[in-house]
Amino acid sequence: MGSWAYFDPEYETLSIRINPPQVSVDNSSCKDCTLVKVDSMNKPGILLEVVQILTDLDLIITKAYISSDGGWFMDVFHVTDQQGEKISDRRTIEYIEKALGPKGQTLGVSKNSREKVGINSTIDYTAIELIGRDRPGLLSEISAVLANLHINVIAAEVWTHNRRIACVLYVNNDTMNPATDDPSRLSAIEEQLKNILGGCGDNVAHTSFAMAPTHVDRRLHQLLFSDRDYEGTFSATEPGCPIKPKVTIERCEEKDYSVVTVACKDRSKLMFDIVCTLTDLQYVVFHASISSDGPYASQEYYIRHMDGCTLDSEEEKSKVIKCIEAAIRRRVSEGLSLELCAKDRVGLLSEVTRILRENGLSVTRAGITTVGEQSTHVFYVSDASGRAVDSKIIEELRKEIGHRMRLSVKKDPTATATDAKAAAADGGGGWAKTSFFFGSLLEKFRN
């Protein structure tokens, strides 16, 4: 009988332990922003990990320089907070140093998913993933099914793009009971949700239960990509449509790279969305340069496929361009954002989405979070034709729900850090604030 050679399980992390990551958060070198510098041993997916940590803290990346050609990974990020200011909070700085430093190497990129959607880590939950054809009132129908089954939605992220909808819902039986894990109950939930999605006349509607934690934004990108939402046509002349991003791919003959160049309107998490897409398409970023000039962003990535090949065929290039364009547009929501706060209870999401539907509003994107007994719902809305919402409708909403929950209406949810700074100088201006749930992140840090 033969025998296998002994393999030390700690060998895999030996290089990291010998050469631990070096992280520096520098507030003195630049007057307008904070510099975050990361030097580390290179490994697959490391750029996405770093960008994900920074964006999960709702930091704006205004510039970045990346180099990972060889065995070493070197990054410099110029970052600000949502108001366009330097990072002054000591807790945030300490979290960055810990998460990106040697101790953070044991934290997988998916570990922050519950904190990202604002779920307290002590609450049990079941994650439900939905993908299918979108239609007016669909989110209202989905939430009504869950309410009728006495299922409480404690957090959720909903994206729509190119007439498709992707949802990740975090649910339990009610605000006091543990996760919904009874097989017969899960089967009943799945059957009713499939009936709702099947009613869209779509053969590829999909419902699943995800027990393993996954970074919610990355999962939404993956769901829509698997649904091939990038194949649809795009018309920049449609009402409410953002300007089409410009994506090009050329060959760098000298170093044998494919160079992906992106020019578009700047916004929060733009770099994350692009790096996430390239990573899921199995491309490795060797060098990159990111910059923002006012409201516009310019990003350049030097890439190869994981097998070492460049993008040589026009078919490959066309697919990558379409996927990046789709990733940029998925998170863009022109128009109004409505933020509603109320005491958490079963059926709250169903009630709110029903009221929006009855007032002729379509939800293009949504985020639901629960902290303690307080639930916050953020909806990005347009009217049924995709145009701007009439102010009379907003006044009707205030009258209908103002006595039961707090309603805040904000404009231009895709505002950049530059816009936010200008709005702050103008006394607030009404720019939408990106949701950030730092309390639950700090809970893990304190422990």
Side-chain angles (χ1 to χ4, degrees), residues 317-333:
K317 291 180 182 179
S318 177
K319 180 178 179 180
V320 171
I321 289 172
K322 287 180 179 179
C323 287
I324 292 175
E325 289 176 347
I328 293 171
R329 293 197 304 266
R330 286 170 192 150
R331 206 191 289 269
V332 173
S333 300

Side-chain angles (χ1 to χ4, degrees), residues 42-307:
N42 199 9
K43 65 174 183 178
I46 187 171
L47 176 59
L48 179 58
E49 289 187 31
V50 174
V51 173
Q52 179 177 298
I53 287 170
L54 296 177
T55 54
D56 278 354
L57 290 170
D58 270 357
L59 302 180
I60 305 294
I61 300 173
T62 58
K63 291 183 181 179
Y65 305 97
I66 288 91
S67 179
S68 61
D69 204 347
W72 202 253
F73 172 82
M74 294 176 286
D75 280 13
V76 179
F77 296 92
H78 296 234
V79 302
T80 68
D81 62 18
Q82 286 289 313
Q83 286 69 48
E85 304 293 339
K86 291 184 179 183
I87 312 305
S88 58
D89 186 87
R90 188 61 209 169
R91 296 175 302 171
T92 305
I93 293 173
E94 289 176 355
Y95 181 82
I96 292 170
E97 291 172 340
K98 180 178 179 180
L100 298 180
K103 294 181 180 179
Q105 294 300 310
T106 58
L107 297 175
V109 293
S110 65
K111 297 297 184 181
N112 288 330
S113 61
R114 288 194 286 183
E115 288 86 349
K116 172 64 183 66
V117 295
I119 302 176
N120 190 298
S121 59
T122 62
I123 297 177
D124 292 323
Y125 67 94
T126 299
I128 302 176
E129 297 178 352
L130 304 171
I131 183 73
R133 185 182 298 277
D134 191 27
R135 67 170 187 268
L138 180 58
L139 182 58
S140 176
E141 295 178 42
I142 291 170
S143 54
V145 166
L146 296 174
N148 290 336
L149 292 169
H150 303 286
I151 299 297
N152 187 43
V153 179
I154 53 178
E157 290 287 336
V158 181
W159 289 1
T160 64
H161 177 248
N162 200 20
R163 297 180 293 279
R164 311 300 299 174
I165 184 170
C167 312
V168 179
L169 310 171
Y170 297 83
V171 304
N172 60 12
N173 282 330
D174 57 39
T175 56
M176 299 299 294
N177 290 336
T180 306
D181 55 3
D182 178 68
S184 60
R185 191 161 172 74
L186 291 176
S187 179
I189 296 170
E190 184 173 16
E191 181 179 357
Q192 294 199 35
L193 290 176
K194 279 185 175 179
N195 288 338
I196 293 292
L197 292 172
C200 302
D202 196 317
N203 294 325
V204 295
H206 177 65
T207 304
S208 66
F209 298 94
M211 299 305 187
T214 304
H215 188 273
V216 64
D217 288 4
R218 186 176 186 186
R219 188 62 188 141
L220 288 166
H221 277 303
Q222 291 172 341
L223 287 170
L224 286 166
F225 170 76
S226 67
D227 201 44
R228 305 177 78 87
D229 70 319
Y230 56 87
E231 291 187 338
T233 57
F234 175 82
S235 173
T237 61
E238 293 178 6
C241 249
I243 299 173
K244 183 177 179 179
K246 182 179 180 181
V247 183
T248 60
I249 299 178
E250 296 179 354
R251 180 76 177 272
C252 175
E253 299 287 351
E254 183 181 355
K255 295 292 186 179
D256 198 28
Y257 294 121
S258 291
V259 184
V260 179
T261 303
V262 181
C264 64
K265 183 178 179 181
D266 195 18
R267 61 164 174 79
S268 298
K269 305 186 180 181
L270 177 63
M271 185 179 181
F272 170 84
D273 294 336
I274 295 172
V275 173
C276 179
T277 300
L278 291 172
T279 302
D280 286 339
L281 287 170
Q282 304 294 302
Y283 290 99
V284 178
V285 176
F286 291 89
H287 301 279
S289 176
I290 313 299
S291 65
S292 299
D293 183 12
Y296 300 103
S298 176
Q299 304 195 3
E300 192 173 62
Y301 299 89
Y302 291 73
I303 67 171
R304 295 192 196 111
H305 195 269
M306 288 187 68
D307 60 10

